[in-house]
Amino acid sequence: MLEQDPVLMSRLLTGLTLGFHIIFATLGVGIPLMISIAEFIGIRKKDPHYLLLARRWARGFSITVAIGVVTGTAIGLQLSLLWPNFMRLAGNVIALPLFMEVFAFFFEAIFLSIYFLTWDRFKNPYIHWLISLPVVIGAGMSAVFITTVNGFMNTPEGFAMENGKFAAVNPIAAMLNTATPTKVFHVLSTAYLTAAAILVAITAFMILKKKATDYHKKALKLTVTLVAIFGILSALAGDFSAKFLAEHQPEKLAAAEWHFETEEGADLILFGWLNEAGEVIGEIRFPKFLSFLAFGDFNSEVIGLEEFPEDEIPPLIVHYLFDFMVLIGFALIGVALLYLIMSRFKRFNEHNKGMLWLLVLSGPLAMLAIEFGWFYAELGRQPWILRGYMKVEEAATSSPYVGLMLILFLGLYIVLGILCIVTLRKMFRNNPAEFELEKKYPKSEKSLEEGEVL
């Protein structure tokens, strides 16, 4: 049974790999910035709590990077094994960004090693902090280069088509395709948002489990503030993305909003379901908001799915993926702002159980939004693997053994996931922050209380 449909099996295996890899790729992009910010604040304020935050986050980050390398390698392998026809057609176009993505990773890895090995080695602590900046840049550039490949698959540019092959290839133009700016902005802002939300969830859970120490209070305040900042940036990136889709991929936006007929003053549809006649029922409507989302004008015309051939319409399930992604994004902003407002007024206890549980939920919900967003990005391009040039069915392998590969990779990801959780637990469970703070900075609490310079 598994060997009968290699196209379906290839889709499932690619989806499985991307779904697993995106967890570690997102943390790999976002966590270095969190580490750098914490260390900078610690040095500037001469506060050992923030310095310890940077140390502990860096330690945990090393594990996620190691697993991200394995899953990233799997994606590169699967591109050639599962989608050979796509690589035959577009390989010479996407080779440069793929190479640059690998280069950016090695650049990051080199400076990450130096960063780990040079704690407390410099008289001027800012020198060590400066080493974190190439790590942040390398992580971000890895995301940028791989995102240009995805952008190219959505808006192929930078070549001429001759005899069914790409000719006169301009790799820079292909990388800087029309989709790249909005996609890069969206990927980076949501990665930073999600990394901050994961750290918020861990800290809030520790406060629930133990008590709100100064270390945990500072960690929570910092990470929640970053969630609010990057949440707002992500919302702005989402707005730019919607306007890009309206102009360049209208079928993708129309599928996300179940917008079937071209009309002016189009409504924004939230949830609902389709009856047997294909009509939307049980939905929440926001009059004319889709037109505003698409073009910044409540009366603008939005193209409907009726304008496209039936075999080029994306699967309509993307509507729910889009809705959940957007709702979670706004929920994260709301929870972060609520915490920050409560923290400004003494009559409120921002560390009450209800608030803390909302913050704990922020982490998994943020990662879920990343999953929804990436699956919307990929499913919303269907049936194309390279929009306008090659469909998924044309790109896939005809090998009957993809089903076996699916089982093997599923086993690999289960093992990697378990190893990651077990290793992180052993790394921090018997080494609580309070103990490590006292060991590394034995006079820190006393100094902070008396206002001494450390």
Side-chain angles (χ1 to χ4, degrees):
M1 180 66 182
L2 290 175
E3 298 178 358
Q4 290 180 357
D5 191 349
V7 176
L8 175 61
M9 291 299 106
S10 296
R11 280 175 161 162
L12 290 175
L13 179 50
T14 302
L16 172 67
T17 301
L18 287 173
F20 188 70
H21 174 69
I22 198 63
I23 298 171
F24 300 96
T26 299
L27 296 177
V29 172
I31 296 295
L33 181 61
M34 309 298 120
I35 295 169
S36 184
I37 291 172
E39 184 178 9
F40 179 78
I41 295 173
I43 296 171
R44 189 173 181 81
K45 290 188 173 184
K46 297 181 173 62
D47 189 332
H49 291 119
Y50 291 103
L51 295 174
L52 184 60
L53 273 177
R55 283 179 182 268
R56 289 171 69 87
W57 288 350
R59 208 175 301 147
F61 175 63
S62 65
I63 305 303
T64 60
V65 166
I67 295 178
V69 170
V70 177
T71 55
T73 304
I75 290 175
L77 176 67
Q78 289 173 18
L79 271 175
S80 298
L81 291 179
L82 303 180
W83 311 104
N85 297 328
F86 166 71
M87 293 301 291
R88 229 174 262 122
L89 177 67
N92 61 332
V93 182
I94 65 174
L96 178 61
L98 289 177
F99 168 78
M100 292 302 294
E101 193 269 341
V102 174
F103 175 82
F105 169 74
F106 281 119
F107 179 80
E108 174 194 0
I110 290 168
F111 281 95
L112 184 61
S113 300
I114 298 171
Y115 183 81
F116 280 132
L117 295 172
T118 54
W119 273 102
D120 304 321
R121 297 296 180 96
F122 300 103
K123 204 167 186 180
N124 184 348
Y126 281 107
I127 296 176
H128 183 262
W129 170 74
L130 286 172
I131 297 172
S132 73
L133 298 184
V135 180
V136 174
I137 293 169
M141 292 311 295
S142 289
V144 169
F145 289 126
I146 204 66
T147 301
T148 65
V149 175
N150 187 269
F152 174 77
M153 294 166 73
N154 284 273
T155 54
E157 296 169 6
F159 59 88
M161 197 74 171
E162 293 180 5
N163 302 319
K165 295 181 179 180
F166 291 165
V169 173
N170 182 340
I172 302 299
M175 287 174 60
L176 302 179
N177 58 79
T178 308
T180 288
T182 54
K183 279 189 171 291
V184 165
F185 183 20
H186 204 144
V187 165
L188 290 178
S189 61
T190 53
Y192 297 141
L193 166 63
T194 303
I198 291 292
L199 296 175
V200 163
I202 294 170
T203 307
F205 184 76
M206 293 307 297
I207 294 175
L208 280 167
K209 191 176 178 183
K210 297 179 180 179
K211 62 178 182 177
T213 64
D214 287 342
Y215 170 83
H216 290 109
K217 286 179 181 178
K218 291 175 183 179
L220 195 61
K221 186 73 172 288
L222 171 62
T223 50
V224 170
T225 301
L226 292 173
V227 165
I229 293 170
F230 289 115
I232 293 169
L233 288 175
S234 295
L236 186 62
D239 181 66
F240 290 160
S241 296
K243 288 174 172 54
F244 162 81
L245 292 177
E247 184 176 355
H248 299 283
Q249 286 184 281
E251 75 283 3
K252 192 171 182 177
L253 181 65
E257 286 301 324
W258 284 354
H259 182 61
F260 295 101
E261 298 177 1
T262 301
E263 61 178 346
E264 297 178 354
D267 295 347
L268 184 70
I269 295 176
L270 194 64
F271 297 118
W273 61 91
L274 299 173
N275 61 17
E276 293 181 358
E279 299 169 335
V280 183
I281 57 176
E283 78 282 12
I284 301 171
R285 283 185 178 266
F286 297 90
K288 299 188 176 184
F289 263 78
L290 180 56
S291 290
F292 181 77
L293 182 68
F295 298 103
D297 180 355
F298 286 103
N299 295 309
S300 61
E301 182 180 83
V302 181
I303 297 174
L305 290 174
E306 65 180 1
E307 305 285 342
F308 304 96
E310 191 172 337
D311 63 347
E312 294 183 11
I313 294 176
L316 298 182
I317 194 174
V318 297
H319 171 69
Y320 297 112
L321 300 177
F322 184 81
D323 283 355
F324 283 124
M325 174 186 67
V326 173
L327 282 179
I328 291 172
F330 280 108
L332 293 174
I333 297 172
V335 170
L337 292 178
L338 177 61
Y339 174 88
L340 294 174
I341 291 170
M342 291 177 68
S343 68
R344 295 283 294 179
F345 299 96
K346 289 185 178 180
R347 64 176 176 271
F348 295 117
N349 175 21
E350 70 271 26
H351 299 115
N352 66 79
K353 281 191 175 182
M355 185 76 250
L356 290 173
W357 275 116
L358 286 176
L359 294 173
V360 169
L361 289 173
S362 295
L365 284 176
M367 191 57 74
L368 200 57
I370 287 287
E371 296 283 1
F372 287 141
W374 270 105
F375 276 97
Y376 166 62
E378 296 305 302
L379 289 175
R381 193 181 60 245
Q382 301 299 309
W384 304 102
I385 191 169
L386 191 62
R387 187 171 179 266
Y389 291 91
M390 177 177 280
K391 292 187 176 181
V392 172
E393 288 82 358
E394 300 167 338
T397 180
S398 58
S399 171
Y401 301 108
V402 182
L404 178 59
M405 287 178 60
L406 175 62
I407 296 171
L408 292 174
F409 274 101
L410 176 61
L412 172 65
Y413 300 149
I414 290 173
V415 171
L416 288 175
I418 293 172
L419 282 175
C420 179
I421 294 170
V422 170
T423 304
L424 288 174
R425 279 176 60 85
K426 285 188 175 294
M427 186 178 286
F428 294 107
R429 191 173 186 182
N430 297 322
N431 189 27
E434 298 83 358
F435 174 76
E436 191 170 351
L437 187 68
E438 180 63 27
K439 185 171 65 174
K440 289 187 179 298
Y441 309 100
K443 296 182 180 180
S444 61
E445 294 294 340
K446 184 176 183 293
S447 300
L448 288 169
E449 289 173 6
E450 297 177 359
E452 298 175 4
V453 176
L454 296 170

